[in-house]
Amino acid sequence: CFCELKGNVDECECSVDLVDKFNNYRVYPRLKSLLSKNYFRFFKVNLRKPCPFWPDDGGCASSACAVESCTEANVPQEIFQNIKNKSNIFGPVNNPKLSSESLDAGKCNEGSDEELGYLNTTLTKEMSADLALWKLHDDSQHSFCDVDDDNNNDSVFVDLLLNPERYTGYKGSSAQRIWKTIYEENCFKPKRGYGPYIDSTNVGDLCLEKRAFYRAISGLHASINIHLCAQYLHSHGVPGLQRWGLNVEEFQARFDPDRTHGEGPKWLRNLYFLYLLELRAIAKAAPYLEQLPFYTGNETEDAEVNIAVHDLLNQIKSFQPHFNESSMFTGGSKQARKLKEEFRHHFRNITRIMDCVGCDKCKVWGKLQTQGLGTALKILFSGSFDKANPTAFDLKSMKRSRFQLTRNEIVALFNAFGRLSNSVYSLELFQQAALN
Ligand code: FAD
């Protein structure tokens, strides 16, 4: 049991099987196709922001973690250009020249190292001052993330398709310190501690909101580790034998109850918990998301993306919600507001810790997934999406209001949910492989 957030977080009204079926047959195939489109594959990120918590510890020397840049021409000009203008989610900039130029874009760094999938990025030009307007709402009180400044010359576009999240070999003290800091300092630590980080039985001591916070982070951790097991580099360093694929042994070492003091299955349940949380956020924002043009300048692809987004959102809306955000931060009391503020502060800190990740590839996906989760939290808890009436999301009024989601937030939200969907799907593959 893992689903319904009530007084007791383990009270449950739906089964893992139900989520598996819904995800594997209805969500996963649709998302996989959607996330391959140009609108969703380019994520803007600053990989050079210094770690705000400790001196750079050198990080990961593995070539699998390395960053390679690709040229500006590889990013569709409309995406590139619209970042500079706050019309980036609402449609074209008045520059007809850009539309035709963008048609061939979207294939960056084709000659990259195929085995290890180097990161491909492109350095941006100087960004316009208009961006400051966008930044305003990111920095507003609603934001759960310490987002990168798009205006910074160090911010680059990364092609997510060419840089899949998978095994990189990032481990040891640097990786441990990140997870340890996230859990020990930012996860509302339970009073009694056990093991290297947190024994989830003690999480029961926490109040509902803090348990939810821990479970979301643990679910993210589980998802990242599932991906490195699902896309593992076998026979690393052996010429001719290297191949990417499932590593059942690695998966068992990380999640088998006997090898994790009984914790592994709980971590997997936390993955489902996070899945339902993000699913609920997307369903809640659906009336808003349905009105976005997902503009890249390529008319055919934009039309396809619009149809595909509607189709996906219809599926998501048809699934009965199991995450009930209205049971959190209730009462409107000073204490509830304080708790919400604390929650936001802790989560923002986690997004800042991502700047300390020593492997650039892991950092890109870590930043994307925390920003995606932060966007989901913003949707769930900012109050801006609480109105049930879709007309409340009238595009013109959204344009006028400062509350909007940036393209990067939308890309992060869909891709972060795509990662969770992929993890749930991968669990079935591990199950089948273990049976064979
Ligand atoms: P870790 O995963 O480092 O976990 C440390 C401890 O946390 C465990 O001993 C256990 O007690 C506890 N723990 C484990 N899982 C959970 C959970 N789900 N919930 C609660 N507690 C848990 N490696 C890659 O190969 N590819 C990547 O793309 C990648 N991305 C990363 C992104 C980030 C942000 C970070 C911090 C690390 C990333 N890593 C990646 C590294 C990877 O997550 C592991 O840290 C690494 O493989 C070492 O694993 P480990 O066995 O030491 O345990």
Side-chain angles (χ1 to χ4, degrees):
C1 294
F2 57 89
C3 310
E4 185 86 348
L5 258 181
K6 287 188 185 158
N8 180 351
V9 90
D10 291 322
E11 280 176 35
C12 174
E13 284 185 6
C14 73
S15 72
V16 168
D17 278 353
L18 192 71
V19 178
D20 283 345
K21 279 203 190 90
F22 168 68
N23 178 68
N24 298 352
Y25 296 105
R26 288 163 63 188
V27 171
Y28 171 78
R30 287 176 167 84
L31 256 179
K32 192 167 188 259
S33 156
L34 186 64
L35 297 178
S36 70
K37 304 292 187 196
N38 275 347
Y39 185 89
F40 290 102
R41 67 188 281 191
F42 295 102
F43 180 61
K44 193 128 193 258
V45 62
N46 183 350
L47 297 171
R48 297 200 191 159
K49 245 177 164 176
C51 167
F53 300 106
W54 54 78
D56 180 17
D57 56 10
C60 169
S62 161
S63 53
C65 290
V67 173
E68 270 204 6
S69 60
C70 68
T71 65
E72 177 192 323
N74 300 127
V75 179
Q77 281 301 295
E78 287 295 348
I79 290 178
F80 187 86
Q81 197 66 19
N82 282 335
I83 286 276
K84 295 201 264 181
N85 300 276
K86 72 187 183 102
S87 56
N88 68 345
I89 52 174
F90 292 114
V93 186
N94 283 338
N95 185 354
K97 185 172 158 269
L98 292 173
S99 319
S100 53
E101 279 176 3
S102 59
L103 292 176
D104 297 332
K107 287 186 179 168
C108 85
N109 204 12
E110 282 181 311
S112 67
D113 184 313
E114 285 179 356
E115 262 171 5
L116 293 172
Y118 285 88
L119 276 181
N120 303 286
T121 63
T122 184
L123 283 177
T124 65
K125 283 179 188 165
E126 275 189 26
M127 293 297 173
S128 131
D130 282 1
L131 199 77
L133 288 170
W134 281 97
K135 193 81 178 69
L136 268 177
H137 88 80
D138 286 336
D139 291 340
S140 77
Q141 53 173 345
H142 296 310
S143 182
F144 282 79
C145 297
D146 187 36
V147 287
D148 291 343
D149 179 4
D150 284 340
N151 213 9
N152 190 305
N153 281 342
D154 286 334
S155 289
V156 293
F157 277 104
V158 171
D159 183 337
L160 300 169
L161 287 188
L162 292 175
N163 299 282
E165 186 189 27
R166 60 186 175 185
Y167 179 80
T168 61
Y170 180 51
K171 53 176 79 140
S173 57
S174 174
Q176 267 164 24
R177 176 146 70 164
I178 305 282
W179 288 125
K180 192 169 185 289
T181 309
I182 287 176
Y183 287 116
E184 290 200 342
E185 294 181 22
N186 289 290
C187 255
F188 301 108
K189 203 176 172 195
K191 285 191 187 78
R192 288 176 283 119
Y194 159 80
Y197 302 127
I198 289 178
D199 172 8
S200 48
T201 51
N202 287 346
V203 172
D205 293 348
L206 299 170
C207 71
L208 175 72
E209 291 79 0
K210 295 181 181 182
R211 289 202 304 272
F213 190 96
Y214 165 77
R215 298 193 76 182
I217 298 302
S218 168
L220 175 64
H221 190 171
S223 181
I224 287 173
N225 286 358
I226 289 170
H227 283 118
L228 76 89
C229 302
Q231 282 283 296
Y232 193 85
L233 183 58
H234 294 274
S235 309
H236 189 195
V238 186
L241 288 180
Q242 291 195 159
R243 67 177 176 85
W244 292 98
L246 286 190
N247 187 333
V248 180
E249 175 55 30
E250 183 74 31
F251 178 82
Q252 284 168 342
R254 287 174 187 273
F255 294 102
D256 187 287
D258 294 338
R259 294 156 85 174
T260 55
H261 304 283
E263 293 293 295
K266 293 179 194 163
W267 298 338
L268 293 179
R269 284 199 291 275
N270 292 339
L271 163 72
Y272 283 86
F273 173 83
L274 181 58
Y275 181 95
L276 290 169
L277 183 156
E278 293 195 8
L279 185 77
R280 167 69 190 134
I282 294 176
K284 189 170 185 173
Y288 170 72
L289 297 170
E290 277 162 356
Q291 298 195 46
L292 302 179
F294 299 97
Y295 190 72
T296 65
N298 179 330
E299 271 178 33
T300 315
E301 180 159 322
D302 290 354
E304 279 169 19
V305 166
N306 266 289
I307 292 169
V309 167
H310 277 81
D311 180 36
L312 175 70
L313 292 175
N314 284 338
Q315 292 295 333
I316 288 176
K317 285 188 296 185
S318 73
F319 192 74
Q320 195 207 338
H322 291 275
F323 183 91
N324 179 8
E325 72 280 7
S326 65
S327 64
M328 291 172 72
F329 310 111
T330 50
S333 65
K334 203 173 160 194
Q335 208 177 352
R337 278 200 302 276
K338 194 171 159 253
L339 183 61
K340 194 167 170 179
E341 184 48 38
E342 220 186 319
F343 191 101
R344 212 170 58 82
H345 174 75
H346 281 290
F347 193 79
R348 277 182 85 103
N349 253 352
I350 288 177
T351 62
R352 296 174 78 211
I353 290 171
M354 291 300 129
D355 287 318
C356 307
V357 172
C359 159
D360 277 344
K361 174 101 61 83
C362 308
K363 192 188 283 189
V364 166
W365 284 101
K367 279 184 164 230
L368 178 140
Q369 290 175 88
T370 49
Q371 191 174 342
L373 174 53
T375 306
L377 295 173
K378 182 162 141 179
I379 292 167
L380 292 173
F381 299 117
S382 68
S384 302
F385 290 86
D386 284 353
K387 291 193 185 95
N389 179 3
T391 56
F393 297 99
D394 163 60
L395 207 54
K396 279 189 188 141
S397 68
M398 289 307 285
K399 267 185 177 181
R400 276 195 300 271
S401 86
R402 280 234 308 267
F403 188 86
Q404 294 162 355
L405 297 179
T406 62
R407 180 189 161 273
N408 234 27
E409 282 176 317
I410 293 165
V411 170
L413 178 68
F414 277 79
N415 272 286
F417 183 58
R419 292 288 75 207
L420 301 176
S421 169
N422 197 72
S423 286
V424 169
Y425 180 78
S426 300
L427 290 181
E428 190 168 297
L429 301 183
F430 281 116
Q431 221 162 19
Q432 283 165 6
L435 290 176
N436 292 334

